[in-house]
Amino acid sequence: MKKVLVIAMMALVMVSCSKSPEQIAQQLIKKTFTEIMDDPSSYEVVGFGSLDSTFTTLEDNIEYMTAYNAYQNHRENYEFDEARVELRKALDIQESFKSEFKGWKMSHSFRCKNAFGAVVLNEVDIYFNKELTEIIGRGEIK
């Protein structure tokens, strides 16, 4: 009985000490931002959005984008037979496209000094890999 109680208490401690995915994402953002700022001491967190999953889109599919861009180029040059072939390729890819999980996204609001020393308020979307171990991109700073 004592062993069961000790194991249960250890499991409870381990669960309570683990970080949530949101906390992991926030920690990654803070660490990365303090490393890349012009003046890291001026970095001030205003807030974080919720952690949300991201999925592939047709624009992520290279074959689709190649066929679609070729279609547009042929159409602009009045090459309608070639345009029709490329459009068919693009539509075939579109019909069979299945969106897949590709990672995570979180918005982040913060204040910091810019290169001129003025404190500015910024908001940006941060993108993470599937495992939530690294930042793989960011949106435009708003």
Side-chain angles (χ1 to χ4, degrees):
M1 181 68 177
K2 247 184 181 180
K3 287 182 183 179
V4 173
L5 184 58
V6 170
I7 292 172
M9 294 209 31
M10 287 178 62
L12 180 63
V13 168
M14 290 172 65
V15 169
S16 65
C17 291
S18 63
K19 294 180 180 173
S20 71
E22 287 82 4
Q23 291 170 323
I24 293 169
Q26 291 172 6
Q27 185 176 8
L28 276 169
I29 290 171
K30 289 176 189 175
K31 179 182 180 290
T32 302
F33 274 55
T34 54
E35 292 172 356
I36 63 170
M37 292 284 164
D38 290 326
D39 182 0
S41 64
S42 72
Y43 172 66
E44 175 192 345
V45 173
V46 174
F48 294 99
S50 59
L51 187 64
D52 197 7
S53 50
T54 59
F55 295 87
T56 57
T57 64
L58 271 172
E59 288 78 21
D60 296 324
N61 186 305
I62 294 170
E63 292 175 13
Y64 171 80
M65 291 306 296
T66 301
Y68 185 76
N69 289 335
Y71 156 71
Q72 286 185 320
N73 288 336
H74 288 305
R75 192 186 72 198
E76 289 170 5
N77 293 320
Y78 302 104
E79 300 165 341
F80 297 115
D81 289 337
E82 293 88 346
R84 191 174 304 116
V85 169
E86 295 300 331
L87 179 59
R88 182 75 260 153
K89 285 182 196 175
L91 290 174
D92 287 345
I93 293 167
Q94 183 177 358
E95 288 173 10
S96 64
F97 178 77
K98 294 200 181 345
S99 185
E100 297 176 7
F101 175 70
K102 72 176 186 180
W104 302 94
K105 174 179 105 168
M106 178 180 271
S107 63
H108 176 46
S109 300
F110 61 97
R111 286 188 186 87
C112 67
K113 288 184 181 176
N114 62 15
F116 301 108
V119 176
V120 292
L121 177 63
N122 301 285
E123 185 175 338
V124 64
D125 289 332
I126 306 295
Y127 297 91
F128 304 90
N129 63 354
K130 291 178 183 180
E131 298 80 21
L132 202 58
T133 57
E134 67 178 307
I135 293 174
I136 58 171
R138 67 171 177 82
E140 280 203 33
I141 294 178
K142 304 172 207 162

